[in-house]
Amino acid sequence: MDSVYTNKILKLAVYAGEIMMRNGAEIYRVEDTIIRICKVCGIRHTEVFATPTGVFISIASDNTEVSAKTFIKRIRAVTTDLTKISRINRFSREFVSSDMSVDEAMDVLKSIDAKKSYPEPVRLLGSALIAWAFCLIFDGSMIDAVVAVVAGSCSYIISLVLDKFEINYFIHGLLCCSVAAAIALAATDIVPDTSYMPIIIGTLMIYVPGVAITNSIRDFLSGDMLSGLARMTEAVLTAASLATGSGIIIAIWHLMGGAL
């Protein structure tokens, strides 16, 4: 097989895996997609090792005189975008069942990767609705839910600003939840008949790493212990940052003589 063509296949497979990994896909799904792409392109021997922080691929043809080619891609920023994962899944099936060329496939991947997420106003509205709904679920009153909408919106605006500075996830969660807790506690003094606890809980639910916890369990069940442990650790640290941010503000409020 031509070396240039093999390199193109390798880059295509790595790029597909990178997009999936950066957007929160499970390990087995990433590895299956990469193997599927290589197999349909005539690569008979493919070994893939994916972790939340990197994708390692080694391919070889039947010709024993040709050494294996290996590609390593470091994954630095991980977010959650299930739409992109779904599109990559659809792309891999179309690539397998059609006569799409490698260059055409690469263009499709670039268009998927370049696709913007939901606009910031829509995401802000979603965060406000999450805070409102969970505040009511955790026995908050309608007044609490209205305050939760304000707290959730302000907290998410801070989150958007921190994202632009690429602040690490622990400080990110701590600061966002600190803002939410401060607003909730201030509301208990300003607005009659409000309870800070359901407001804070409702806002925290915006940042709870539910996808990371689910994926870590799925990785454990599929035998990817390293990835499962890494993701579970990240989820636990994220949850700790949320609790720490809220706890610090509540402690400061109590020391200043605020009513709890």
Side-chain angles (χ1 to χ4, degrees), residues 71-203:
F71 198 103
I72 300 174
K73 183 64 182 180
R74 180 76 160 86
I75 307 297
R76 297 188 181 278
V78 178
T79 183
T80 301
D81 192 333
L82 301 181
T83 301
K84 287 187 177 181
I85 296 174
S86 175
R87 286 174 176 167
I88 295 294
N89 282 335
R90 191 182 309 120
F91 155 78
S92 66
R93 287 171 174 79
E94 291 176 354
F95 184 68
V96 169
S97 60
S98 68
D99 56 354
M100 185 186 304
S101 68
V102 175
D103 291 331
E104 290 173 342
M106 182 62 76
D107 291 336
V108 173
L109 288 182
K110 288 179 180 179
S111 66
I112 293 174
D113 193 21
K115 186 72 175 178
K116 298 291 185 180
S117 183
Y118 290 102
E120 291 183 354
V122 175
R123 293 156 61 189
L124 183 61
L125 175 62
S127 66
L129 293 176
I130 290 172
W132 175 80
F134 278 103
C135 179
L136 294 177
I137 290 173
F138 287 97
D139 296 327
S141 65
M142 189 56 68
I143 297 177
D144 294 335
V146 173
V147 177
V149 168
V150 177
S153 300
C154 294
S155 175
Y156 197 74
I157 290 173
I158 298 298
S159 174
L160 294 175
V161 173
L162 294 176
D163 285 341
K164 295 180 180 179
F165 291 97
E166 299 182 353
I167 303 296
N168 74 75
Y169 65 88
F170 189 90
I171 302 300
H172 182 281
L174 188 148
L175 293 178
C176 290
C177 291
S178 295
V179 171
I183 295 174
L185 290 169
T188 59
D189 275 358
I190 300 173
V191 183
D193 301 323
T194 55
S195 175
Y196 71 91
M197 193 61 71
I199 299 173
I200 294 177
I201 294 174
T203 307

Side-chain angles (χ1 to χ4, degrees), residues 21 24-31 85 215 218-219 231:
M21 190 63 71
E26 307 94 317
I27 294 298
Y28 79 88
R29 193 183 301 275
V30 174
E31 294 180 346
I85 296 174
N215 283 348
R218 295 187 70 173
D219 287 340
R231 280 180 165 160

